[in-house]
Amino acid sequence: MKQTYNLKGKLGQLSLILIPILVTQLGMFAMNFFDTIMSGQFSPTDLAGVAIGSSLWVPVFTGLSGILLAVTPIVAQLIGGGKRKEVPHTVFQGVYAAIFLSFIVIFIGMIVIDPILNGMNLEENVHRVAKEYLIALSIGMIPLFIYNVLRSFIDALGLTRVTMFITLLSLPINVFLNYILIFGKLGIPAMGGVGAGYASAITYWVITIIAFWVIHTKSPFLEFFIFRSLQKPNISKWKEIFRIGVPIGLSIFFEVSIFSAVTLLMSEYKTAVIAAHQAALNFASFLYMIPLSISMALTIVVGFEVGAKRLKDAKIYSWMGVSIALILAVCYGVILYVFRTEISYLYTDDPYVLELIGHFLLYAVFFQLSDAIQAPVQGALRGYKDVNITFIMALISYWVIGLPLGYLLANYTNFGPYGYWLGLTSGLTAGALTLTGRLLLIQNKFRRVYMKEMKA
């Protein structure tokens, strides 16, 4: 990370940070992407089971790991403010917090999985696949949460290429394990969708071990001496991480969980509809990695500039990121519309499911534009450490507007299951508008405070 003096320099620095983050996010999501695709090739039942399991797992993981994303703005502002000596303590305590959260999730999961699945109208085999898939994933939960802390530290230094290489190294391992465990190769019995859960869990251990090794042995990370000596848990540092991280995690949870809630509500439809919905949502979520990556990059660069009190530069970065996301959204929205039939063949060759996937993808085109605004704006707000009001806005936009409207359209109009997608689009649009207003307000607030300090 370094100071830039013009638009060209800012675009160059943002690109250097963004591109590796994008590759990393696509790689991380590709694990779930291949889980879904390869399970669908095994059978529609396994696709539906993995869909239900993922719908329960993804909001929990993204929400709680979002808490750990607090490490990124904390470290970025410490680096920008020249307080490098405080970084190791933050990272080490973040690891403790990750382990703590992991145990909580595992404990709660043991209690609630059966009641939740039993309360859904699922076919017996779909129920079995969903439960066993979640149990398999839990084996890799602790290392996955730890990896999010380590990755946040690496990314906050602006060295996002490191996490990119780690992810690219692990991806073929995941695909290979999927092939063996789902379809039953090398003497191992075929596990179907459940095998995808075990493959992902093993891969989570691999990437965490690699990240530990890199931080402990490679420059410039080893210069922070993070794991050279054991530190005691520090509750006050946990409080700082959770104070910033909990609103971030809740914001992410409210957004992601609305998609999962829709999938769970769709359990009243036939297995083919559930499978088609999940396939279309899986591909739309894959595209969402683009604005999400821009969001993460903006947290780093905005946090760095705010820490150095260069508020004008932070503002330029914020709107530069939003503009890039919008331009890209228009491009891949056109691609999604034109090639929706070809995309559907990635998930199945069942004619009925193919037709349903194509229809769902049409609705996916619309909420891509809203995602392109709200995700980068949230990332910029995190760079300012403004997180509390953001999660309230997310709660209202997604759960007070989006989901109820989707339920009404799905159950009281002729839209049927597609009504839920119209509701999702409405919630995302409301979130994009309110968060944009919040960013403008925060930027003006920071400018006034800084001007007041300068006069004093």
Side-chain angles (χ1 to χ4, degrees), residues 215-230:
I215 290 174
H216 191 63
T217 62
K218 301 298 179 183
S219 181
F221 313 109
L222 62 84
E223 297 167 7
F224 287 89
F225 303 106
I226 292 176
F227 300 119
R228 294 298 173 90
S229 60
L230 185 65

Side-chain angles (χ1 to χ4, degrees), residues 338-403:
V338 174
F339 296 102
R340 60 187 184 279
T341 302
E342 289 76 8
I343 292 169
S344 301
Y345 275 105
L346 291 172
Y347 294 91
T348 185
D349 54 6
D350 183 290
Y352 181 51
V353 179
L354 278 172
E355 181 181 358
L356 290 173
I357 294 174
H359 287 310
F360 278 119
L361 287 175
L362 280 175
Y363 289 91
V365 172
F366 296 104
F367 65 73
Q368 298 298 323
L369 290 174
S370 297
D371 266 336
I373 298 174
Q374 62 88 18
V377 169
Q378 281 198 56
L381 286 168
R382 290 168 194 156
Y384 286 98
K385 288 187 179 179
D386 181 73
V387 291
N388 292 311
I389 300 299
T390 301
F391 93 82
I392 296 175
M393 289 178 171
L395 172 62
I396 295 173
S397 298
Y398 306 139
W399 285 89
V400 177
I401 299 175
L403 188 61

Side-chain angles (χ1 to χ4, degrees), residues 27-54:
M28 290 292 291
F29 184 82
M31 295 183 192
N32 180 262
F33 184 70
F34 285 117
D35 283 357
T36 305
I37 287 179
M38 298 176 79
S39 297
Q41 295 299 329
F42 189 82
S43 78
T45 298
D46 283 81
L47 174 58
V50 171
I52 296 297
S54 296

